[in-house]
Amino acid sequence: MATLLKATTEIQKGRLSKKSKDNASAGPSASVDKGYKPRKDKTLLICSRGVTQRMRHLMRDLEVLLPHTKKDSKLDTKSSLHLLNELADLHSCSNTLYFEARRHEDLYLWISRSPNGPSIKCHVQNIHTMDELKMTGNCLKGSRGLVTFDGNWENDEHTRLMKEVFTHTFSVPKTSRRLKPFIDHILLFSLLDNKIWFRNYQIIEKDPLVPSGPPVPSLVEIGPRFVLTPIRIFEGSFGGPTLYSNPEFISPAATRASIKKDAGQKYRIRKEGETQREERQKRLREDLPEDQLSRKKVFA
């Protein structure tokens, strides 16, 4: 028995020494390939109470475009956003897309890297869903999309940070289970007027009118469309120190309040004019002498 154990240990030592020699002869490329770990990002897609039909359809369109997302039920609270990190941990997600609805008309989007951050809070405007647009473009459900950015994202530090967060959140990794190995559409993020414009295009390799002709790549829009206005960038996930604040942003509630205030100012000016007119007429009646044919004189 002892001789058998000794023989097995010598054989194992010989195999290990042979593997080490092979790795040394292969060079540094073999060690790099062995240490490579594929990206396994998953995105949690969740919303708050009070979302409207249009907001819900936008979430459904994003779920179709991003096969690496996982949905959860609506979040009941709007103050304890740290619970989203726990939900992302339960679903094994490293990114979170949280749609927060306020007053049944304002929509805010939180994009966060869970659980350590950073996180971006944006105001969503000009929402147009796939069913509403009725575009001619089409793509395979579950296919990978190329996440592209225009040239304005490299100018500032906060735009470079947002670009990195959007890349991790919206790019589909190769290890996604619902992924289909096709790349037939482009997710475009454009930066214009301090706003982020989102578009989705189909990649067409040939002209449909000339199917037998040479390949002429073109883009056809699919949908959905929306515009994001960055409000704040936080260091942590759904909170923490502020890294960037948009000084030009005005909340929609403040905009509606100013409109109501202007309308109330017009009403106030009209009522003041009416009271001044009544006082002027009363003063004129008091200054005029009494008429000789008045009722008091005739029937005295």
Side-chain angles (χ1 to χ4, degrees):
M1 189 69 180
T3 55
L4 181 60
L5 290 175
K6 187 176 180 181
T8 53
T9 52
E10 288 178 356
I11 292 172
Q12 290 177 0
K13 288 181 180 179
R15 288 179 179 176
L16 291 175
S17 61
K18 185 177 180 182
K19 286 184 179 179
S20 61
K21 290 180 181 179
D22 294 340
N23 291 333
S25 62
S29 61
S31 60
V32 171
D33 295 338
K34 185 178 179 180
Y36 171 74
K37 293 183 180 180
R39 188 169 62 91
K40 297 182 179 180
D41 285 341
K42 296 178 184 178
T43 302
L44 177 64
L45 188 63
I46 191 173
C47 66
S48 65
R49 296 286 179 183
V51 292
T52 60
Q53 181 181 8
R54 183 186 295 270
M55 302 173 189
R56 190 170 60 252
H57 287 184
L58 176 63
M59 290 185 60
R60 186 185 61 186
D61 293 343
L62 289 179
E63 183 187 7
V64 172
L65 289 178
L66 306 176
H68 67 298
T69 56
K70 288 188 175 182
K71 286 189 66 176
D72 201 344
S73 58
K74 296 178 181 179
L75 190 67
D76 292 328
T77 179
K78 294 183 180 179
S79 58
S80 302
L81 296 182
H82 62 274
L83 298 175
L84 292 170
N85 296 324
E86 300 179 5
L87 290 175
D89 188 20
L90 289 175
H91 290 278
S92 301
C93 296
S94 57
N95 306 299
T96 305
L97 288 174
Y98 173 58
F99 289 88
E100 182 181 358
R102 295 183 181 176
R103 298 182 179 88
H104 298 278
E105 53 184 343
D106 302 332
L107 182 63
Y108 295 89
L109 174 61
W110 287 80
I111 307 173
S112 175
R113 289 280 295 172
S114 301
N116 299 322
S119 56
I120 306 170
K121 184 181 180 182
C122 303
H123 179 224
V124 188
Q125 295 174 300
N126 301 335
I127 300 174
H128 300 283
T129 60
M130 289 185 185
D131 296 337
E132 180 185 359
L133 291 174
K134 298 186 183 299
M135 294 290 184
T136 58
N138 193 9
C139 65
L140 182 65
K141 183 178 180 180
S143 62
R144 297 181 69 191
L146 295 176
V147 181
T148 58
F149 300 87
D150 63 353
N152 298 326
W153 290 85
E154 300 295 333
N155 297 334
D156 300 320
E157 293 183 359
H158 68 277
T159 55
R160 290 197 295 268
L161 178 60
M162 288 192 295
K163 177 181 177 181
E164 190 69 22
V165 174
F166 286 156
T167 302
H168 283 274
T169 305
F170 289 93
S171 61
V172 183
K174 296 180 181 179
T175 57
S176 180
R177 293 184 177 181
R178 295 186 296 172
L179 176 66
K180 295 179 182 177
F182 295 99
I183 299 177
D184 56 356
H185 65 282
I186 292 177
L187 303 178
L188 176 62
F189 291 90
S190 302
L191 195 62
L192 182 64
D193 297 334
N194 292 329
K195 298 179 185 295
I196 302 169
W197 304 72
F198 175 82
R199 295 292 185 269
N200 181 27
Y201 295 98
Q202 177 193 3
I203 303 174
I204 298 179
E205 296 182 357
K206 290 188 178 182
D207 190 359
L209 301 178
V210 188
S212 60
V216 181
S218 60
L219 299 177
V220 179
E221 188 172 357
I222 305 173
R225 292 179 178 178
F226 57 88
V227 180
L228 300 176
T229 304
I231 303 175
R232 284 179 183 270
I233 301 178
F234 298 96
E235 183 178 356
S237 180
F238 299 102
T242 302
L243 300 179
Y244 169 76
S245 179
N246 189 1
E248 299 179 358
F249 176 74
I250 301 175
S251 65
T255 304
R256 288 191 296 267
S258 63
I259 294 174
K260 291 182 180 179
K261 185 177 180 181
D262 294 340
Q265 185 70 18
K266 293 180 182 179
Y267 175 77
R268 193 179 300 108
I269 291 173
R270 187 173 71 248
K271 297 302 290 185
E272 289 178 357
E274 290 179 0
T275 55
Q276 291 177 4
R277 185 167 61 251
E278 291 177 357
E279 291 178 356
R280 187 170 58 253
Q281 291 176 357
K282 183 179 179 181
R283 190 167 55 252
L284 289 175
R285 285 194 300 268
E286 292 176 355
D287 294 342
L288 288 176
E290 189 176 1
D291 191 7
Q292 297 296 327
L293 297 178
S294 64
R295 183 174 296 180
K296 293 182 181 180
K297 294 288 186 180
V298 174
F299 299 100

